[in-house]
Amino acid sequence: MLVDHNDDDDDDDDESQIFEKCRRRIGVFLIPPVEEARADITNKLASAAALRKVRQGQQKLKEMEFYVVNNDYTSLQLALRKEPFFDIRKNSYILVRGGDDGPLAGDLERCYKTFMASLEKMDTTATLGLRGRRPLEDGEFYHSYRSTVESLENFLAVANEAAEIPVQYKD
């Protein structure tokens, strides 16, 4: 406890008055207590950059249609493992965690899981086509590609809305 030697009436002051006098003398300003956010605030702040990266991945995915139409399994798999597409899972998950406190959390997670499942199926289908272990049915590869494109579009639509919702604080 700091003591003010210039005032004789310090004994009568309660702690808040003593604290206020000390604060004024040394120029310290207290920051009010911060409310606790429901979502992971780091991911909420990173959502804008993650959204931009996922959109870049979406553009790259649309460019991969040439590989799919020509059954170029190797090129498709290589493209999935290069920038900007290789970290789409991480950036998509940042969007899910950043929006887990809002009203769209359930839709966001559902769309994320659908997108990831279709992406993995497309990659698996490409692997099967590349290895030739079983012949692919006509249009199977293209169908898995279209499913991935559509699920990414759905995910981005929900993620875009969720990213615009401000941070929700606990009551």
Side-chain angles (χ1 to χ4, degrees):
M1 180 162 120
L2 296 174
V3 178
D4 184 1
H5 295 289
N6 296 330
D7 286 337
D8 295 330
D9 60 324
D10 274 339
D11 296 334
D12 299 334
D13 290 335
D14 67 338
E15 287 183 17
S16 62
Q17 290 172 334
I18 293 171
F19 182 75
E20 183 62 26
K21 285 181 181 181
C22 292
R23 186 188 63 78
R24 274 189 259 131
R25 284 204 179 107
I26 60 175
V28 175
F29 296 98
L30 295 179
I31 298 173
V34 178
E35 294 181 55
E36 190 175 336
R38 289 185 192 150
D40 180 357
I41 193 72
T42 304
N43 288 305
K44 189 68 170 177
L45 295 173
S47 290
L51 195 56
R52 191 170 47 253
K53 290 278 192 181
V54 173
R55 283 189 189 124
Q56 289 171 353
Q58 179 186 32
Q59 184 60 36
K60 185 65 176 175
L61 181 63
K62 288 178 180 179
E63 294 170 7
M64 292 180 204
E65 185 172 13
F66 177 77
Y67 303 139
V68 176
V69 170
N70 293 312
N71 292 328
D72 189 352
Y73 308 115
T74 305
S75 296
L76 177 88
Q77 286 191 318
L78 289 174
L80 289 176
R81 288 156 179 80
K82 288 183 182 175
E83 182 72 47
F85 204 82
F86 77 94
D87 60 351
I88 200 165
R89 179 183 302 267
K90 176 186 76 169
N91 287 308
S92 297
Y93 194 62
I94 287 171
L95 292 169
V96 171
R97 288 183 46 200
D100 69 358
D101 67 336
L104 299 174
D107 291 339
L108 193 59
E109 189 166 347
R110 181 184 48 78
C111 289
Y112 169 78
K113 287 179 179 179
T114 302
F115 167 56
M116 287 300 125
S118 63
L119 178 62
E120 289 169 6
K121 183 175 183 198
M122 182 180 69
D123 189 43
T124 302
T125 304
T127 300
L128 290 172
L130 183 66
R131 292 184 181 168
R133 289 194 179 168
R134 79 166 172 86
L136 297 178
E137 296 176 14
D138 285 343
E140 182 179 358
F141 189 41
Y142 188 75
H143 176 71
S144 67
Y145 166 77
R146 289 303 313 156
S147 176
T148 303
V149 170
E150 289 169 12
S151 63
L152 178 55
E153 287 172 356
N154 292 338
F155 173 72
L156 272 172
V158 175
N160 194 37
E161 286 182 51
E164 293 175 3
I165 297 172
V167 176
Q168 306 294 308
Y169 293 99
K170 292 183 180 178
D171 296 329

